[in-house]
Amino acid sequence: MHSLPIGQTQKNFGTDGLECWKSILSEHSKTRSNQVYELFDQGITRLGIEPNQIPDVNEINRRLEPMTGWRGILVNGLEEGSVFYKMLANRLFPIGNFIRDKKDLSYTPEPDIVHDLYGHLPFLTDKKYADFCQKLGEAACRVMDRPDLLRQYERFFWFTVEFALVNTPKGNRIFGAGIASSIGECTYALSKEPELLPFDVDTIRKQEFRIDQMQAKLFLLESPEQLYESLNELISKVENDR
Ligand SMILES: [Fe+2]
């Protein structure tokens, strides 16, 4: 069994890193309230995330932990499934201890501090969302012996936590951190380009995805509750495949 990573000391991302953070956040702050589901903006305010400085993860944790029990943990890069889902089950979210190159603001080959901290942590200030993510982590941990079953949770994570859209009275809004943390992906996801499919657990658990391009298929939730309530259905379908 893999052990959980011990938090690292936060790196100094330098002048280029700070410039990168500033450009993304100040640019996105102009559009995000009309693009991303309101919970995201609320979370940014509650965590005190601002464009003018890269937050100190310990400082963020002092705010986040009393709200939902979650903490960000600095890591080198993408964690493999056995560690990643174990972290989620323990209310720990990995935060890449590096930042993307400022030449390519909209893209990062690996999840960096912009994607992980700015994209994911605001959502985790919400109690129901936070509980949902922990439960998803626990469920995935129960199938570590079966890569085919684990893959179903990975697909579900991808098309919901990372790339879901949600229907609201004001129009479709972004609900996935993978979209929310990329200005380019935000514009694309809300354009007419991607194919929008109704949220469906059975379709999602069988739907393959590519990580190296804009997402051609996106699933549209009727509400965040639809997502939270769907987890039991997913768990029983996965268990039935055993
Ligand atoms: Fe992510």
Side-chain angles (χ1 to χ4, degrees):
M1 202 62 180
H2 295 87
S3 55
L4 294 170
I6 300 160
Q8 305 179 355
T9 304
Q10 188 159 338
K11 285 190 188 133
N12 180 338
F13 301 108
T15 322
D16 282 358
L18 179 58
E19 247 182 75
C20 178
W21 175 270
K22 275 185 182 169
S23 338
I24 296 171
L25 269 76
S26 51
E27 189 60 31
H28 201 209
S29 64
K30 296 178 197 157
T31 52
R32 73 179 173 230
S33 61
N34 291 320
Q35 290 178 326
V36 190
Y37 190 65
E38 57 191 8
L39 193 161
F40 184 68
D41 248 1
Q42 288 162 9
I44 286 170
T45 307
R46 296 173 84 190
L47 294 176
I49 297 173
E50 289 183 5
N52 59 3
Q53 60 172 353
I54 299 176
D56 178 87
V57 171
N58 293 326
E59 195 53 49
I60 292 287
N61 288 341
R62 274 194 277 281
R63 294 178 182 229
L64 177 60
E65 203 169 6
M67 291 182 223
T68 59
W70 277 77
R71 284 194 302 132
I73 297 282
L74 289 158
V75 297
N76 281 331
L78 192 61
E79 294 291 339
E80 58 179 286
S82 58
V83 178
F84 179 71
Y85 288 104
K86 196 171 169 187
M87 288 182 75
L88 297 192
N90 285 279
R91 293 190 185 249
L92 301 172
F93 204 91
I95 310 284
N97 200 359
F98 62 96
I99 193 159
R100 68 196 65 188
D101 195 295
K102 67 172 184 175
K103 290 199 295 294
D104 203 351
L105 295 180
S106 220
Y107 175 74
T108 177
E110 274 205 293
D112 64 347
I113 192 159
V114 177
H115 172 79
D116 289 328
L117 192 151
Y118 177 66
H120 282 284
L121 296 194
F123 287 105
L124 288 165
T125 60
D126 182 77
K127 175 105 178 44
K128 284 188 194 159
Y129 185 93
D131 290 348
F132 159 79
C133 282
Q134 181 193 18
K135 196 172 160 188
L136 178 55
E138 285 171 345
C141 284
R142 290 196 293 270
V143 298
M144 282 302 157
D145 59 325
R146 285 279 302 267
D148 57 326
L149 303 185
L150 178 62
R151 191 67 190 150
Q152 297 189 30
Y153 285 115
E154 287 172 343
R155 293 178 186 135
F156 184 80
F157 185 90
W158 184 262
F159 286 111
T160 63
V161 174
E162 298 289 7
F163 285 99
L165 295 179
V166 62
N167 183 18
T168 80
K170 293 178 188 163
N172 293 345
R173 290 290 183 269
I174 291 154
F175 199 71
I179 310 176
S181 59
S182 160
I183 295 171
E185 200 90 42
C186 282
T187 310
Y188 172 82
L190 296 174
S191 74
K192 294 198 167 23
E193 290 266 327
E195 181 187 1
L196 287 198
L197 299 165
F199 176 79
D200 179 68
V201 168
D202 214 32
T203 310
I204 291 175
R205 74 191 182 109
K206 295 168 189 162
Q207 180 64 54
E208 261 321 324
F209 59 86
R210 297 260 310 257
I211 61 166
D212 58 344
Q213 58 185 33
M214 297 274 190
Q215 299 303 305
K217 277 185 206 293
L218 296 172
F219 290 88
L220 178 65
L221 291 160
E222 283 309 313
S223 66
E225 283 68 30
Q226 184 187 25
L227 173 63
Y228 309 149
E229 287 162 13
S230 73
L231 188 51
N232 283 338
E233 182 189 345
L234 175 66
I235 292 170
S236 61
K237 283 186 190 309
V238 172
E239 292 301 328
N240 275 339
D241 284 353
R242 221 181 235 290

